[in-house]
Each structure stands twice: as structure tokens, then as C-alpha cells.
Amino acid sequence: MGQERKAHDLAGQVAIVIGGSRGIGRAISLGIAASGAHVVVASRSPESVDSVAAEIKALGHRADGIAADVSRIEDVERLVGEVRNRCDRIDVLVNNAGINPLFKRPEALTPEDWDLIMNVDLRGAFLACREVGKVMIAQRGGRIVNITSATALHGTKRGLPYTAAKAGLIAMTQTLAADWCSHGIRVNAVAPGYVTTDLTSGMMKNAGIYRRVLDKIPMGRFADPEEIVGLTLYLASEASSYVTGQVFVVDGGYAAIR
Ligand SMILES: NC(=O)c1ccc[n+]([C@@H]2O[C@H](COP(=O)([O-])OP(=O)(O)OC[C@H]3O[C@@H](n4cnc5c(N)ncnc54)[C@H](OP(=O)(O)O)[C@@H]3O)[C@@H](O)[C@H]2O)c1
């Protein structure tokens, strides 16, 4: 037990959680902070990131909020620059920012629809990995956790740009893990099934769709955001010291019975 606790200890470390203001990202920010890291919460909304940072500080941990749109290279460069100025190093990056605002048949998708989602869910993660990766290479180590989706592994109806972006994120995770292993950087992915957040609130309000999805989940419910934290913390810490390039599904048994 003592060894286990030590392995998850992030005391003295610095973590950036992009998309840390709500839902899964907020839960991850709180969880990583509780393990001792100084957490930088980033998302587009300045009020939201400041609010989560204040919540973390009120619990006696260290945090900052920095507003940044991960799809904009200038924002990502500024974010990483500010973190380096304040903290000098970056031990953990969690790429959690994600959007899925469309529910269209493939033939109805426009190139703009495609770009809208790809720019955040895939390009944004690339930009963040690239900028933080430079810092981790220079300091000879770090951990990156990319939040993908179980739908990237089995597809879903009317979710083409989202599933393609999330599948790309898995390929990016595997490739970065190979490229950066020699620099002491480990890169892994977490693939949640259905989680109760703003992202799924529309689906949950549609009784027919919600029931059909629940029927496919052996546990019979969506996850709470806090249920994604344990695995993320494992991958963000030395507890997973021999793990890289992997994707881990957290889906209440959904994939097991497909
Ligand atoms: N909920 C699920 O069932 C589920 C399942 C599988 C995977 N996921 C993935 O888990 C991650 C979190 O999802 P969630 O359900 O917690 O969604 P959510 O509640 O909608 O939160 C999304 C987060 O991403 C941030 N964000 C969105 N666009 C951004 C941008 N351009 N730049 C920076 N931050 C941005 C949002 O903050 P701002 O609006 O302030 O920018 C927010 O903090 C996503 O990557 C999602 O694809 C979720």
C-alpha cells in the first residue's frame, strides 16, 4: 500500500491539463492536484479555468488557470511559455480538450464541419504535444496522456469527424511513444466510453437514444467524470513506468459484449 501510494505521488511536479475546466478534465485536474502536482488548468474560458484553479487552491493544493484555445498555435506557445516562466518544467501533459458538436450523416458533412472538429480534437493535441514535447526533451523526461474515445476503436453512427480525430489521436499516441522513448517521455491514451458531462447531455436528454445506449453497457450507466481519473493518474505517474504507446478503455464493459 505504501509503495502504491508512493508510485502515484506527483509531489513537486508540474502538470498541464488542457480542457481542464469542465467534465472529465476538471475531475482530472482535481485528481492530479490531490496527488501533489502543481496543476495548470487550461481551456478557452478564462473564468472557468480560474474557477477550477481556485477550487484546487481552496483544497490546499497548487494551481493556475491559463486561458488558451488549443487549436491556435499562438495560444499553445503562449500557454507553454507562461508555464515555463512560472514553473520552470512540465512533467505531465493531459490532452483532454475535445468537441463533438455535430450529429450528421457522412454525406451531409461539409469540409468546414470536418476542420472544426479536427482542429481541436487532433490538431490541437498535436500542437500541445509538440510544444510540451520540446520542453520534455530538453529536461529528459515527461508523461503525456491523451484522452481519446472508445468510439475511435469501434466507430459510431453520425460521428465521422470525431471518431476519425480520436482514432488519429491513438495513432499519434503510439507514434510519439516510439519517437520520444529515447528522451524518457512516455505517451499513452485513455479511451472513455460514455461519461456524464456537457458533451453527452444532449444524448441523455433524448430518452430513446439514451435507453438504447444504456442497454449496450453491461454496467447499465454512464461513468462519472471521476471514474476516468484513476487510470489517468496511473499513466501520469511512475506507477506506469514500463507502459508506453498504449490505449486503455474505460467503458463499463461496453466493448466486452460487442
Ligand atoms: N463525455 C464522454 O462521454 C466522452 C467519451 C469519450 C471521450 N471523451 C473525451 O473526453 C474529453 C473531455 O470530454 P468531456 O465529456 O469532459 O467534455 P466537456 O464537458 O464538453 O469538456 C470539454 C473541455 O474541453 C475544453 N475545450 C473545448 N474546446 C477547446 C479548445 N479549442 N481549446 C481548449 N480547450 C477546449 C472545454 O473548455 P472550454 O469550453 O472553456 O474551452 C472543456 O474544458 C474530450 O476529449 C472528449 O472527446 C468524452
Side-chain angles (χ1 to χ4, degrees), residues 33-102:
S35 284
H38 179 158
V39 176
V40 177
V41 182
S43 84
R44 291 166 303 178
S45 158
E47 298 79 21
S48 304
V49 294
D50 286 346
S51 159
V52 176
E55 197 179 346
I56 291 171
K57 286 192 245 184
L59 292 167
H61 310 300
R62 299 187 67 197
D64 285 306
I66 298 179
D69 181 338
V70 76
S71 68
R72 295 165 53 90
I73 181 61
E74 55 272 36
D75 280 26
V76 176
E77 286 173 346
R78 177 179 46 77
L79 168 66
V80 174
E82 281 186 34
V83 177
R84 283 199 77 188
N85 285 342
R86 290 181 203 187
C87 306
D88 205 34
R89 58 183 295 113
I90 304 169
D91 301 284
V92 175
L93 166 67
V94 180
N95 276 312
N96 175 75
I99 58 169
N100 188 20
L102 307 173

Side-chain angles (χ1 to χ4, degrees), residues 226-248:
E226 289 70 23
E227 292 180 288
I228 311 302
V229 176
L231 188 50
T232 307
L233 192 52
Y234 165 73
L235 295 171
S237 68
E238 281 309 298
S240 59
S241 56
Y242 195 57
V243 180
T244 196
Q246 295 300 310
V247 51
F248 296 86

Side-chain angles (χ1 to χ4, degrees), residues 64-154:
D64 285 306
I66 298 179
D69 181 338
V70 76
S71 68
R72 295 165 53 90
I73 181 61
E74 55 272 36
D75 280 26
V76 176
E77 286 173 346
R78 177 179 46 77
L79 168 66
V80 174
E82 281 186 34
V83 177
R84 283 199 77 188
N85 285 342
R86 290 181 203 187
C87 306
D88 205 34
R89 58 183 295 113
I90 304 169
D91 301 284
V92 175
L93 166 67
V94 180
N95 276 312
N96 175 75
I99 58 169
N100 188 20
L102 307 173
F103 191 65
K104 287 186 177 179
R105 290 184 178 282
E107 65 274 20
L109 286 166
T110 65
E112 292 74 24
D113 292 336
W114 181 266
D115 290 346
L116 175 74
I117 293 175
M118 283 287 164
N119 280 345
V120 178
D121 295 8
L122 189 56
R123 184 172 183 273
F126 158 66
L127 295 177
C129 284
R130 193 187 73 157
E131 288 312 302
V132 173
K134 291 176 194 168
V135 177
M136 290 179 171
I137 287 169
Q139 72 193 19
R140 301 196 54 74
R143 281 90 58 201
I144 297 174
V145 184
N146 293 320
I147 308 299
T148 177
S149 166
T151 59
L153 299 167
H154 48 62

